[in-house]
Amino acid sequence: MSPLIERLLATPDAIDTADLHTLLRDAVEGGASIGFRVPLPDPEVSDFWAEVFAELTAGKRILLVARDAGRIVGSVQLELAQRPNSRHRCELQKLFVLRTHRARGLGTALMAAAEESARQHRRTLIVLDTSASGNALGLYARCGYTRAGVIPRYATDPDGPLIDTVIYYKELAPA
């Protein structure tokens, strides 16, 4: 059965909010270099999602979620470039899949949904960055993304050491 992928448009109910908090915490505690350090304080989790939903409301961001048995088990975001010279592109950010739900095709399904959403918003270029030692490198290659290069010591892993980041892009056919 295909995973259910849907777009969240507004601040979620309490159950979805709890699922999103769990998703972020699981990613960070699992070693994902996504802007946070361990231990991850609850206020940082709440503030992160509040900022995401403010940007959704402002039309600057798209949030797609994957559900299993009605619960959110994965997500991905597209930040829509806003400047007049860049409205053809977006940045794929924060691809999360619960560790308990990996290797089931959710990452691939989220990527395909993100690309379709980008096309619907007239975006023909997707860029992203990821840890050079991250779990998603193979996924991005399988999804047809081109590796543009590596930036050394770009960020820290959640537990502290500096790590390299890899930049990828993909050109999309217009919708």
Side-chain angles (χ1 to χ4, degrees):
M1 181 176 151
S2 299
L4 173 64
I5 307 294
E6 69 182 59
R7 182 175 174 189
L8 291 186
L9 297 170
T11 303
D13 63 22
I15 293 171
D16 282 355
T17 297
D19 287 348
L20 290 169
H21 286 219
T22 297
L23 190 59
L24 177 61
R25 187 170 299 288
D26 181 72
V28 173
E29 290 174 357
S33 177
I34 54 174
F36 298 95
R37 306 285 302 266
V38 290
L40 180 56
D42 289 337
E44 283 187 32
V45 175
S46 297
D47 290 349
F48 170 77
W49 288 112
E51 182 179 315
V52 166
F53 283 98
E55 290 183 1
L56 293 179
T57 301
K60 297 178 180 181
R61 182 172 301 274
I62 296 167
L63 173 62
L64 301 169
V65 298
R67 292 187 186 271
D68 181 29
R71 301 302 296 263
I72 296 173
V73 296
S75 71
V76 67
Q77 299 175 38
L78 290 175
E79 181 182 42
L80 303 172
Q82 300 296 305
R83 299 281 182 222
N85 73 338
S86 59
R87 291 188 184 135
H88 66 288
R89 73 174 188 254
C90 58
E91 182 176 346
L92 189 132
Q93 299 176 345
K94 310 293 190 262
L95 174 64
F96 306 145
V97 174
L98 285 177
R99 287 177 282 174
T100 58
H101 285 71
R102 291 186 185 160
R104 298 182 188 185
L106 292 172
T108 301
L110 284 162
M111 292 295 291
E115 290 174 15
E116 181 56 31
S117 188
R119 281 186 198 92
Q120 291 170 359
H121 286 81
R122 296 189 172 105
R123 307 302 164 130
T124 57
L125 179 66
I126 299 178
V127 297
L128 66 90
D129 69 84
T130 189
S131 165
S133 59
N135 295 326
L137 294 173
L139 171 65
Y140 300 136
R142 286 191 306 276
C143 289
Y145 284 73
T146 300
R147 183 178 170 137
V150 176
I151 301 173
R153 297 169 307 285
Y154 183 77
T156 63
D157 258 347
D159 59 355
L162 284 169
I163 57 170
D164 298 348
T165 196
V166 181
I167 307 298
Y168 286 92
Y169 70 93
K170 184 173 184 177
E171 293 186 279
L172 304 175

